[in-house]
Amino acid sequence: RGEGPRALYRGMSFPLYSACLVNAIVFSVQGASERALRGAVGEERARTNGFIAGCVAGLAQSPLVSIADLVKCQRQVMVAARGDAAALLGPTLVLRQRVAELGLSRGLLQGAGATALKECPSYGVYFLVYEEARRSAERLAWHPVVATLAAGGLAGCVSLGMIHPVDVVKSRVQALPVTTPRADCSTWVVATRGWHAEGSAFFLRGFGAAMQRAFVVNAATFAGYELASAALRQLDV
């Protein structure tokens, strides 16, 4: 109301710019890890291999995701005076200010531990659920496009739904201002304070909106991945 409709999209640019790189890391690391595991332990443990490879991929991309989410959260809690939204710090200036005041580690990696805790298991479940759902849909003779969209959406909802409480705590940690004492930036401190203040409802904030977004985004992500993979196979790349 005070800043206009553009305020609804604040913090979107940095995650958007990094999304291609994040997905490239995830799918390439997952594929390479799964191939390595197949060679080491054999083809018969396909589900276990897929889960472990997904966990490795989630861990590999967590530093980049942590920085992107930190910038997003910092910008989303900024408030501008009416008509003065242009005065707010942009993504680069947010990072420069944090590094100048907090140093490289705290300035860039606040919430990195919670991000790794969230990303690592969730991507293991993500790829496992996708493969299982895709196989089930194919057994039911669903159209390949519908099977991919449904399996991708389901994978996103299951994997993100199970770690949503961690995501709430991570976002709260990353939204803290630079003036917050170091001890108060602890994931454990933020989680316990949220629990004491709001009970279990604290950990479920935004769950409905997150699930709606998860289905659409991940259905589109896997559809794009399968389409790109098919095109590259035809080109024999």
Side-chain angles (χ1 to χ4, degrees), residues 131-219:
E131 292 297 338
E132 290 300 309
R134 180 75 188 271
R135 279 193 284 266
S136 297
E138 288 174 348
R139 283 196 296 270
L140 294 171
W142 288 16
H143 189 281
V145 173
V146 176
T148 299
L149 292 173
L154 181 62
C157 288
V158 173
S159 61
L160 292 175
M162 75 174 200
I163 50 84
H164 185 78
V166 181
D167 191 45
V168 171
V169 176
K170 177 203 71 73
S171 297
R172 184 68 66 92
V173 169
Q174 292 185 322
L176 293 171
V178 293
T179 54
T180 305
R182 188 186 189 103
D184 292 342
C185 294
S186 161
T187 300
W188 178 255
V189 169
V190 170
T192 52
R193 286 180 178 174
W195 171 265
H196 291 314
E198 303 176 41
S200 59
F202 169 75
F203 298 102
L204 295 174
R205 282 188 169 213
F207 182 79
M211 290 302 96
Q212 293 172 40
R213 173 187 176 276
F215 189 92
V216 175
V217 168
N218 291 287

Side-chain angles (χ1 to χ4, degrees), residues 7-12 71-79:
L8 298 174
Y9 296 94
R10 181 175 302 135
M12 185 182 75
V71 174
K72 178 188 72 175
C73 291
Q74 289 286 308
R75 297 204 70 228
Q76 286 179 337
V77 296
M78 292 177 178
V79 178

